[in-house]
């Protein structure tokens, strides 16, 4: 009798009545665990991220990498150089992840192959150097260069590219806060990285981008990175990231990889000896006309 009572099934929920509180708490906490963010800790969103290729930087980025559903701002003192060295590992990973699988010959297999999403370069300050970009792991087929002179055209091209769910690297030095907010809204429905390169002085302006970084040249081949804005506590200090280009690294010796010491003060010239006195005019040098 006791065994029959102990093995009796639990009471079924009565229709129309709320379930027990204990059954609600567990799934509710599981659902909200990835969406709950405390200001004292890094945000751990359920949105996908792209590893940056730098372990020290990923440890400071919410989600452990570049966000794929948000705008990332890079503030540099001189655009056109530092952003490539910082983003090359992630962009290379982004393109390699889309590599076509080996398919059997046939029209049906080719039709089923997924379309590769390119990287759009909008308003770059210099003409893209294809051999250098290939050395960074970005093939020519992955790049589309969009030239737009007017700020309105640059903004329109960036917005359309983000809506098309392709990777975007746009140089927008004159973008206003309301325009960046518009791009951020478009990025919420995309799963591709979107980077905006702006002057370092733009850090004094407000921005809707959830991630903003200041990138400066460091000693040797390093990059100094400061997280100006992120979903989490304020970032103190700077990160020193080794960013030697892949084509240059085999050519560097151990001494060249380290920062060179600052040159010391130049030695002061030795005082000139005073001229010897001559006894008479005959001992002086004769000047010829």
């Amino acid at each position: 009798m006791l065994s029959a009572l102990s093995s009796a099934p639990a009471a079924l929920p009565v229709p129309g009545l709320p379930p027990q509180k204990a059954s609600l708490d567990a799934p509710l906490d599981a659902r909200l665990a990835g969406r709950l963010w405390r200001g004292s800790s890094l945000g751990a969103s359920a949105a996908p991220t792209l590893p940056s290729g730098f372990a020290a930087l990923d440890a400071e980025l919410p989600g452990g990498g570049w966000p794929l559903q948000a705008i990332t701002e890079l503030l540099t003192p001189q655009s056109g150089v530092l952003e490539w060295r910082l983003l090359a590992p992630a962009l290379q990973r982004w393109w390699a992840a889309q590599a076509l699988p080996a398919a059997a010959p046939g029209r049906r297999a080719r039709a089923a192959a997924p379309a590769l999403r390119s990287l759009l370069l909008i308003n770059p300050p210099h003409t893209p150097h294809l051999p250098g970009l290939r050395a960074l792991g970005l093939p020519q087929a992955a790049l589309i260069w969009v030239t737009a002179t007017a700020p309105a055209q640059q903004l329109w091209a960036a917005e359309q590219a983000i809506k098309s769910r392709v990777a975007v690297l746009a140089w927008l030095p004159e973008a206003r806060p309301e325009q960046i907010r518009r791009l951020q809204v478009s990025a919420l429905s995309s799963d591709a990285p979107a980077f905006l390169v702006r002057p370092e002085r733009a850090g004094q302006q407000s921005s809707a981008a959830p991630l903003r970084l200041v990138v400066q040249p460091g000693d040797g081949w390093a990059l100094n990175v400061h997280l100006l804005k992120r979903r989490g506590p304020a970032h103190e200090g700077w990160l020193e990231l080794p960013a030697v280009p892949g084509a240059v690294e085999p050519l560097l010796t151990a001494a060249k990889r380290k920062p060179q010491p600052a040159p010391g003060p130049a030695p002061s010239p030795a005082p000139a000896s005073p001229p010897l006195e001559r006894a008479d005019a005959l001992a002086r040098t004769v000047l010829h006309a």
Side-chain angles (χ1 to χ4, degrees):
M1 187 67 178
L2 292 177
S3 60
L5 290 177
S6 60
S7 60
L12 297 176
V14 180
L17 294 180
Q20 297 179 358
K21 182 179 183 299
S23 62
L24 273 178
D25 290 342
L28 185 62
D29 293 343
R31 290 195 305 268
L32 296 182
R35 300 180 179 272
L36 183 61
W37 167 62
R38 296 178 175 86
S40 60
S41 61
L42 288 178
S45 175
T49 58
L50 178 66
S52 67
F54 302 95
L57 180 58
D58 288 341
E60 300 293 340
L61 293 177
W66 301 118
L68 297 184
Q69 294 180 350
I71 294 295
T72 299
E73 272 192 77
L74 304 178
L75 310 178
T76 64
Q78 183 180 3
S79 59
V81 179
L82 303 181
E83 59 269 28
W84 284 114
R85 294 167 56 192
L86 178 64
L87 300 178
L91 295 177
Q92 180 183 5
R93 185 188 300 264
W94 161 259
W95 179 258
Q98 302 183 87
L100 288 174
R107 184 176 303 176
R108 180 177 301 178
R110 290 194 298 268
L116 296 179
R117 290 184 287 176
S118 304
L119 168 64
L120 265 68
L121 310 178
I122 301 176
N123 190 37
H126 309 290
T127 301
H129 186 248
L130 292 181
L133 295 179
R134 283 197 298 266
L136 293 177
L138 298 175
Q140 181 177 352
L143 305 174
I144 297 179
W145 178 16
V146 179
T147 302
T149 56
Q153 296 175 349
Q154 301 167 7
L155 178 67
W156 182 87
E159 184 177 3
Q160 298 304 315
I162 293 175
K163 290 181 178 180
S164 301
R165 299 174 59 242
V166 298
V168 177
L169 179 55
W171 288 262
L172 303 178
E174 301 180 13
R176 299 190 300 270
E178 62 272 15
Q179 296 173 338
I180 297 180
R181 180 177 298 277
R182 182 173 175 176
L183 296 178
Q184 170 62 20
V185 173
S186 299
L188 294 176
S189 58
S190 175
D191 59 349
F195 300 97
L196 304 183
V197 183
R198 305 183 65 203
E200 189 175 2
R201 63 179 182 273
Q204 303 176 358
Q205 304 175 359
S206 61
S207 174
L211 181 60
R212 308 181 77 191
L213 296 87
V214 180
V215 186
Q216 296 181 354
D219 295 333
W221 292 93
L223 294 177
N224 292 334
V225 176
H226 171 67
L227 275 69
L228 185 63
K229 177 185 177 182
R230 63 176 177 178
R231 289 176 176 172
H235 179 247
E236 302 293 341
W238 293 76
L239 299 175
E240 186 176 359
L241 307 178
V244 182
V248 179
E249 187 173 6
L251 306 178
L252 297 179
T253 61
K256 293 296 184 179
R257 296 175 189 272
K258 300 179 181 179
Q260 300 294 328
S268 57
S273 58
L276 298 177
E277 296 182 359
R278 292 174 171 82
D280 49 38
L282 296 179
R284 299 175 184 175
T285 305
V286 178
L287 299 178
H288 298 278

